[in-house]
């Protein structure tokens, strides 16, 4: 029947090259699946034009291994194997469990033969792979995979949230990759846990492969320590052709071999072609970093920018402070004319805005994205100057700037109305949620992505704001006479206050302190979001210190049912800390807190995909779904994709089989350190998950 219906379709009358060209523009996976089910010709055309694929099944299963030679994607270039099932279990490793639990592979030779067969089968199904992402518990996985695409792999992303295997040599994790991939150009380790001491020896052991790299992301998932000056210099020296470098660094001057001016100049001298450079400082307790200055000076930054004229994307996110940085920002504008993306953390004196002339970061007129974190002397007058000078900004983020008020945000929004698309305002002491939303009213119909923190207690206002004035009085008076803002333009902006609809808002991110509720959000001004598709909710804090909610008081997810096209949600409770086991008298354990946060999620009828991070008890390193959470998620009848970033009890999985539309589910313990085994707490085994997956795949799905 499907063949007969497709035979009359006009698209099949097109020549084959034109049909393939049209299908190459079809990006949505479900739409491609529908097209491939129409007829054999469209099936072959879909496989011939698919460019990216993420496997989430079990590549060791007979269903995959027995696929014939007709199952081939000849043009597929981007293959993601980091999410294969069961998540985190090595499928190509010396310790890999057998696909059939009844007949385990007991010898190393049998495991090696099985690994070689799986790797060869993957290469036959996807012969043109040039970009690969893979979960690597140990070097065996790469040793099996990389020879299959030896002359093609140009981009590789490694993922590992488990602890580094004990007993292996420094750099052994990267050795198969650098040895077998001569055309490798980009290496992404942003989600790969290893030691900082592993990077430099691996790059030094294969100088030709290291010299060919143009992109190197050393984010190192879960890293609590960064690269010291010697390690950063050695890694940069091995890769002189780098155009992109991302790395966590030790900027604390108390530590030996910290990163300062000399280290930054060394990186600039060894990698002069850098266009993207992002350096950040790992989290440090306030007792070791609060109030201290970094060993980075304005003179050092000026010399650093002079050595990197091609810089387009620069991030220096520090936990320590750098004082009086306005001259350095002016040097950045002169020396790096292509700069478009700028992220600064801990920089003070970025823009003084003392007079009408622009200074500091406000002179960087080519910026399209600006993120300012922890600038304690950033004022409303500074924001006004940034709005005048950085007129091309499409993305703006202000985090932890305690002198910024609603008046400054409003003036900045009015100045950037023609270009602004994304706004992020977090942890500013003088801005509560309702005030912030009101200040953004001039650009409600322009914003596509919004991130704010939800604090319903009225934020304190400085005396000058309470009296109707701001700290920049002289500038307010002078700006009234400037010709760039005409009276007609002012009237046009004032009319925007009457807008009540966020007609272009597609993505909303909310931050909540532990114990706070979502319910006042709608009345605060986010009541009309007709095209909102995705919402992210992050909860942080110690639930053990929060008062016990009332008997019928819940977080308020049901209030989100008013968003008509809401399809994706990320609910992150991973930083909400509580009691996983028995709680003391008068306290709530994590099961009751999960009920508090998830109550009402079943009312979100349009919800299609959910990423959920359960709350945790750090003392036992447990992030597990509890029975109330499973029961509430079970009633989300429209949910099709469910990704739990934690684990659960094996016998709870049967609850999810009653969800009528659930098609894709996975447990991902993507946090460090990921547990080596859940059997002691949840009785979850790889075989238990694979059995559940088989049952889920056999469920009838209407569409």
């Amino acid at each position: 029947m499907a063949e007969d219906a497709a035979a009359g379709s006009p698209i099949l009358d097109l020549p084959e090259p034109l049909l393939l060209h049209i299908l190459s523009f079809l990006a949505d996976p479900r739409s491609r699946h529908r097209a491939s089910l129409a007829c054999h010709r469209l099936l072959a055309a879909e496989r011939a034009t698919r460019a990216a694929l993420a496997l989430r099944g079990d590549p060791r299963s007979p269903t995959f291994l027995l696929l014939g030679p007709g199952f081939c994607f000849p043009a597929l270039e981007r293959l993601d194997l980091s999410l294969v099932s069961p998540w985190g279990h090595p499928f190509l490793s010396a310790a890999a469990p057998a696909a059939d639990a009844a007949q385990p592979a007991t010898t190393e030779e049998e495991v090696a033969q099985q690994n070689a067969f799986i790797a060869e089968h993957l290469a036959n199904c996807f012969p043109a792979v040039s970009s690969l992402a893979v979960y690597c518990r140990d070097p065996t996985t790469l040793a099996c995979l990389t020879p299959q695409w030896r002359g093609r792999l140009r981009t590789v992303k490694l993922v590992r949230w488990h602890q580094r295997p004990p007993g292996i040599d420094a750099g052994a994790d990267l050795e198969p990759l650098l040895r077998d991939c001569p055309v490798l150009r980009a290496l992404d380790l942003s989600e790969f846990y290893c030691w900082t001491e592993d990077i430099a020896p691996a790059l030094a052991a294969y100088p030709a492969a290291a010299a060919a790299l143009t992109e190197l992301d050393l984010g190192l998932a879960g890293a609590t320590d960064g690269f010291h000056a010697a390690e950063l210099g050695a890694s940069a020296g091995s890769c002189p052709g780098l155009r992109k470098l991302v790395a966590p660094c030790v900027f604390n001057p108390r530590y030996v071999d910290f990163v300062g001016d000399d280290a930054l100049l060394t990186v600039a001298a060894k990698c002069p072609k850098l266009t993207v450079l992002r350096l950040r400082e790992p989290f440090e307790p306030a007792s070791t970093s609060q109030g201290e200055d970094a060993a980075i000076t304005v003179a050092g930054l000026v010399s650093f920018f002079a050595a990197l004229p091609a810089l387009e994307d620069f991030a220096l996110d520090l936990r320590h402070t750098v004082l009086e940085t306005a001259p350095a920002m002016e040097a950045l504008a002169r020396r790096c004319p292509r700069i478009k993306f700028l992220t600064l953390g801990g920089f003070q004196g970025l823009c003084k805005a003392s007079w009408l002339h622009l200074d500091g970061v406000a002179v960087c007129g080519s910026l399209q994205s600006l993120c300012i974190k922890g600038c304690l002397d950033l004022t409303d007058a500074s924001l006004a100057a940034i709005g005048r000078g950085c007129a091309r900004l499409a993305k703006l983020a202000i985090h932890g700037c305690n002198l910024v008020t609603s008046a400054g945000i409003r003036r900045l929004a009015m100045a950037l109305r023609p270009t602004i698309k994304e706004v992020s305002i977090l942890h500013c002491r003088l801005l509560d949620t309702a005030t912030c939303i009101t200040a953004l009213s001039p650009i409600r119909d322009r914003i596509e992505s919004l991130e704010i923190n939800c604090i319903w207690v009225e934020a304190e206002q400085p005396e000058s704001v309470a009296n109707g004035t701001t700290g920049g009085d002289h500038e307010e008076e002078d700006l009234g006479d400037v010709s760039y803002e005409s009276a007609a333009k002012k009237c046009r902006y004032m009319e925007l206050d009457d807008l009540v609809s966020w007609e272009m808002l597609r993505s909303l991110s909310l931050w909540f302190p532990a114990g706070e509720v979502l319910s006042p959000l709608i009345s605060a001004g986010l009541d009309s979001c007709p095209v909102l598709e995705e919402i992210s909710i992050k909860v942080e804090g110690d639930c053990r210190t929060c008062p016990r909610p009332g008997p019928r008081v819940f977080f308020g997810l049901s209030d989100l049912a008013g968003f008509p096209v809401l399809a994706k949600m990320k609910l992150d409770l991973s930083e909400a800390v509580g009691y996983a086991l028995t709680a003391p008298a008068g306290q709530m354990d994590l099961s009751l807190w999960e009920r508090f946060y998830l109550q009402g999620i079943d009312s979100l009828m349009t919800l299609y995909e959910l990423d959920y991070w359960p709350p945790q008890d750090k003392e036992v390193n447990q992030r597990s779904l509890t029975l109330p959470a499973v029961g509430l998620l079970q009633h989300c009848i429209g949910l099709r994709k469910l990704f739990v970033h934690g684990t659960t009890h094996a016998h709870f999985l049967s609850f999810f089989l009653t969800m009528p539309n659930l098609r894709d589910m996975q447990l991902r313990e993507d946090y460090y350190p990921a547990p080596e085994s859940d059997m002691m707490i949840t009785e979850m085994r790889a075989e238990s998950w694979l059995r559940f997956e088989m049952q889920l795949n056999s469920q009838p799905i209407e569409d």
Side-chain angles (χ1 to χ4, degrees):
M1 293 293 294
E3 290 282 350
D4 296 339
S9 175
I11 194 173
L12 295 182
D13 296 333
L14 298 175
E16 190 72 15
L18 185 56
L19 178 63
L20 296 178
H21 182 70
I22 292 174
L23 283 181
S24 66
F25 291 99
L26 193 60
D28 179 58
R30 292 198 68 193
S31 299
R32 297 189 69 94
H33 295 332
R34 294 191 189 99
S36 65
L37 293 174
C39 64
H40 286 290
R41 184 183 176 192
L42 285 179
L43 173 63
E46 193 278 328
R47 290 183 178 176
T49 57
R50 183 180 285 262
L53 183 66
L55 292 183
R56 279 203 283 268
D58 180 15
R60 296 174 289 111
S61 64
T63 305
F64 177 74
L65 295 178
L66 297 180
L67 289 172
F71 184 80
C72 180
F73 293 80
L76 191 135
E77 297 181 349
R78 301 186 299 276
L79 179 63
D80 188 350
L81 301 177
S82 63
L83 302 175
V84 294
S85 186
W87 185 93
H89 290 264
F91 73 97
L92 292 179
S93 170
D100 187 357
Q103 297 179 355
T106 56
T107 65
E108 293 183 2
E109 291 77 8
E110 292 176 344
V111 172
Q113 292 177 0
Q114 175 180 295
N115 291 343
F117 177 74
I118 296 173
E120 184 176 355
H121 189 64
L122 286 170
N124 292 333
C125 294
F126 313 106
V129 171
S130 61
S131 176
L132 177 68
V134 61
Y135 199 100
C136 294
R137 290 284 293 269
D138 57 53
T140 308
T141 301
L142 283 179
C144 295
L145 282 179
T146 51
Q148 306 299 328
W149 299 288
R150 183 186 302 271
R152 299 193 60 90
L153 280 181
R154 301 178 61 86
T155 303
V156 174
K157 178 180 180 179
L158 304 183
V159 181
R160 180 171 70 196
W161 292 95
H162 290 80
Q163 297 187 33
R164 180 181 183 272
I168 65 174
D169 297 333
D173 283 314
L174 304 179
E175 180 180 349
L177 182 62
L178 298 175
R179 181 189 63 220
D180 297 332
C181 300
V183 296
L184 185 66
R185 295 297 178 266
L187 178 59
D188 186 349
L189 303 180
S190 59
E191 298 183 24
F192 184 75
Y193 177 78
C194 65
W195 297 342
T196 56
E197 295 89 342
D198 289 328
I199 305 301
L203 296 176
Y206 297 92
L213 288 176
T214 59
E215 298 183 12
L216 183 60
D217 190 333
L218 303 176
L220 303 188
T224 56
D225 193 10
F227 288 87
H228 291 264
E231 297 169 339
L232 184 65
S235 300
S238 300
C239 311
L242 282 183
R243 297 183 180 273
K244 176 181 178 180
L245 175 62
V246 181
C249 300
V250 177
F251 292 97
N252 194 333
R254 293 187 180 186
Y255 291 3
V256 176
D257 197 22
F258 60 87
V259 174
D261 287 343
D262 293 339
L264 293 181
L265 292 174
T266 300
V267 171
K270 293 183 176 180
C271 303
K273 299 179 182 179
L274 280 174
T275 59
V276 178
L277 178 61
R278 301 171 188 161
L279 305 178
R280 64 174 180 85
E281 188 169 12
F283 173 77
E284 291 186 6
S287 58
T288 63
S289 62
Q290 188 173 9
E292 291 191 10
D293 295 340
I296 295 177
T297 65
V298 172
L301 288 173
V302 171
S303 301
F304 175 72
F305 294 142
L308 295 176
L311 201 60
E312 299 179 5
D313 185 340
F314 178 62
L316 192 56
D317 191 359
L318 308 180
R319 302 283 177 176
H320 297 74
T321 57
V322 184
L323 302 178
E324 302 298 332
T325 55
M329 295 299 102
E330 295 170 5
L332 173 64
R334 293 194 309 270
R335 301 292 187 174
C336 307
R338 301 178 184 176
I339 190 71
K340 296 179 180 179
F341 307 94
L342 184 62
T343 299
L344 302 171
F347 279 52
Q348 311 302 320
L350 283 173
C351 181
K352 296 182 178 180
S354 301
W355 306 100
L356 288 179
H357 71 276
L358 301 177
D359 70 309
V361 72
V363 303
C364 299
S366 61
L367 286 180
Q368 299 177 8
S369 173
L370 175 62
C371 178
I372 301 175
K373 301 180 180 180
C375 184
L376 303 181
D377 56 2
L378 191 74
T379 63
D380 293 348
S382 304
L383 293 183
I386 291 174
R388 290 164 49 208
C390 304
R392 301 180 183 178
L393 280 180
K395 180 178 180 180
L396 177 68
I398 301 174
H399 299 171
C401 301
N402 292 334
L403 296 183
V404 172
T405 68
S406 59
I409 296 296
R410 185 180 185 85
R411 292 180 61 195
L412 181 63
M414 294 171 65
L416 296 178
R417 173 175 165 76
T419 59
I420 196 70
K421 297 294 183 183
E422 302 179 32
V423 176
S424 175
I425 302 175
L426 293 177
H427 312 305
C428 296
R429 181 168 56 90
L430 302 180
L431 291 173
D432 65 291
T433 308
T435 302
C436 184
I437 292 177
T438 303
L440 293 174
S441 59
I443 54 174
R444 282 189 179 187
D445 61 331
R446 306 288 297 179
I447 297 179
E448 298 179 2
S449 176
L450 176 64
E451 182 178 19
I452 55 175
N453 52 339
C454 295
I455 301 177
W456 310 121
V457 180
E458 184 177 356
E460 55 185 296
Q461 294 287 343
E463 184 178 355
S464 58
V465 175
N467 295 333
T469 62
T470 63
D473 294 339
H474 63 278
E475 186 181 9
E476 291 279 0
E477 297 172 359
D478 293 336
L479 287 178
D481 298 329
V482 179
S483 59
Y484 78 91
E485 188 176 78
S486 63
K489 192 173 182 181
K490 289 182 180 179
C491 295
R492 186 167 69 253
Y493 285 149
M494 292 173 63
E495 292 171 359
L496 294 171
D497 294 346
D498 298 330
L499 292 174
V500 294
S501 176
W502 302 74
E503 59 187 49
M504 297 184 66
L505 186 64
R506 299 184 181 275
S507 176
L508 177 63
S509 299
L510 306 172
W511 179 92
F512 289 85
E516 193 62 87
V517 296
L518 178 143
S519 302
L521 179 68
I522 305 301
S523 59
L526 281 169
D527 51 340
S528 179
C529 304
V531 297
L532 183 64
E533 300 174 350
E534 181 176 354
I535 187 169
S536 300
I537 298 175
K538 174 78 172 180
V539 179
E540 293 187 29
D542 193 343
C543 296
R544 297 170 294 188
T545 63
C546 297
R548 190 184 184 98
R552 299 189 63 83
V553 176
F554 301 105
F555 182 60
L557 287 181
S558 59
D559 293 344
L560 302 179
F563 300 139
V565 296
L566 181 63
K568 297 181 180 181
M569 175 186 288
K570 295 181 180 180
L571 182 56
D572 188 353
L573 308 180
S574 60
E575 295 301 322
V577 182
Y579 297 102
L581 306 177
T582 304
Q587 295 284 341
M588 293 170 53
D589 60 19
L590 289 182
S591 64
L592 297 180
W593 280 113
E594 282 198 288
R595 175 182 293 172
F596 169 78
Y597 281 107
L598 289 173
Q599 186 71 37
I601 195 172
D602 56 330
S603 63
L604 306 181
M605 305 302 295
T606 60
L607 193 62
Y608 175 88
E609 179 178 334
L610 174 64
D611 280 80
Y612 177 63
W613 287 259
Q616 64 166 318
D617 187 338
K618 292 185 177 181
E619 296 181 358
V620 296
N621 190 31
Q622 180 178 351
R623 304 186 188 187
S624 175
L625 281 179
T626 60
L627 182 59
V630 173
L632 291 169
L633 292 175
Q634 175 191 8
H635 291 94
C636 297
I637 59 175
L639 202 62
R640 191 177 183 91
K641 296 183 179 182
L642 175 59
F643 305 124
V644 178
H645 299 262
T647 185
T648 188
H649 293 272
H651 57 279
F652 287 170
L653 294 178
S654 59
F655 286 77
F656 299 107
L657 295 175
T658 63
M659 300 174 66
N661 293 305
L662 187 64
R663 184 67 181 88
D664 192 359
M665 180 180 174
Q666 196 166 45
L667 301 179
R668 305 173 184 170
E669 296 173 296
D670 48 358
Y671 55 89
Y672 179 82
E676 295 293 334
S677 175
D678 295 323
M679 292 177 56
M680 296 298 296
I681 299 177
T682 63
E683 301 177 355
M684 178 63 70
R685 300 173 176 85
E687 294 79 11
S688 303
W689 175 258
L690 292 176
R691 285 196 298 269
F692 165 76
E693 203 168 58
M694 292 179 60
Q695 292 176 304
L696 183 63
N697 291 337
S698 64
Q699 295 281 100
I701 304 294
E702 293 183 359
D703 57 348

